[in-house]
Amino acid sequence: GNREVVRGRSRVNSRVKDQERNNGFVSGIILKNTTSIIGDEIGIKFAILDDSGKPNVKLNQLLEERFYAWEEHACVDGSSLTEAAQLTSNHSIMDGEMVIKDDFGTTEPGNPYRIQPLESDHIDGSKTADGTGIEFDSRGLPMAFWIYPNYPDGFNVFSDSIRIKASEITHIYKRSRASQRRGISPLAPS
């Protein structure tokens, strides 16, 4: 389960990312998957009822307006929630997982909450004995993630990872084994 995934992740991710860049068939699979799942935009329709059981039109409209205003720049870098969802879909295929960090540090009036999509390479596996980069409690629930603040490429090798509480992280991956704690690309067998 987990041992095999942790051991093979780096090699698999490098191969899949290379194929995504250089193989039209693979990049087409990723694009088609994202387009069919996410589409061009994320929509929401509120259906809050008033005390009489009828739709509260004014409140529903207000909430929808506020949601769409937030959605337009939902990410820390100014990109939209739709773009974050598309990235999540892409990385679910390329890396087998995605990390989204909550951010309450913006100075945006009315709604300080933003999200920060991070590639799985931001998780520092060297900080935990099992190589996942995730600390677990005695029940196996995530307590914290070790995250590089900058993408750990050749230019940011001196950036040390920081411990972030699991309550501030959404870790999206598909588990195929009970002991699995990290995702791996579904293209790994190819």
Side-chain angles (χ1 to χ4, degrees):
N2 199 51
R3 186 176 309 127
E4 294 85 359
V5 169
V6 170
R7 220 182 286 148
R9 278 187 50 72
S10 180
R11 187 172 346 121
V12 168
N13 286 358
S14 292
R15 287 180 180 168
V16 172
K17 286 176 182 175
D18 177 69
Q19 289 296 307
E20 186 269 336
R21 285 188 303 270
N22 298 304
N23 183 323
F25 181 70
V26 173
S27 61
I29 289 171
I30 294 168
L31 177 64
K32 184 76 169 171
N33 181 70
T34 297
T35 304
S36 65
I37 292 174
I38 307 300
D40 293 332
E41 72 176 357
I42 292 178
I44 191 166
K45 188 80 174 157
F46 285 92
I48 296 173
L49 305 177
D50 61 19
D51 292 336
S52 68
K54 295 179 184 171
N56 188 331
V57 176
K58 283 185 180 181
L59 179 58
N60 290 332
Q61 285 176 340
L62 175 66
L63 291 172
E64 287 171 20
E65 287 170 11
R66 287 191 177 175
F67 171 80
Y68 285 113
W70 173 81
E71 188 278 340
E72 200 171 312
H73 303 285
C75 297
V76 171
D77 67 1
S79 57
S80 71
L81 183 62
T82 299
E83 291 169 300
Q86 291 167 339
L87 282 171
T88 301
S89 177
N90 290 348
H91 285 287
S92 293
I93 292 180
M94 288 191 298
D95 304 331
E97 64 183 343
M98 182 77 171
V99 177
I100 298 176
K101 182 182 174 297
D102 292 338
D103 188 294
F104 292 94
T106 62
T107 57
E108 182 79 21
N111 189 353
Y113 178 70
R114 295 285 183 263
I115 60 174
Q116 183 180 11
L118 300 169
E119 295 182 35
S120 63
D121 296 337
H122 280 266
I123 301 175
D124 181 1
S126 72
K127 296 287 188 174
T128 58
D130 65 0
T132 62
I134 307 168
E135 296 176 13
F136 298 95
D137 67 13
S138 60
R139 296 176 299 162
L141 298 174
M143 291 184 351
F145 287 74
W146 285 93
I147 302 288
Y148 289 111
N150 300 308
Y151 187 80
D153 58 11
F155 301 107
N156 291 307
V157 292
F158 301 108
S159 175
D160 201 15
S161 59
I162 54 175
R163 186 180 186 271
I164 299 176
K165 293 184 293 184
S167 61
E168 298 176 26
I169 298 286
T170 301
H171 183 207
I172 301 164
Y173 70 105
K174 182 181 180 214
R175 264 172 85 174
S176 56
R177 308 236 352 232
S179 63
Q180 185 178 340
R181 299 291 185 238
R182 295 286 305 269
I184 193 158
S185 173
L187 298 177
S190 60

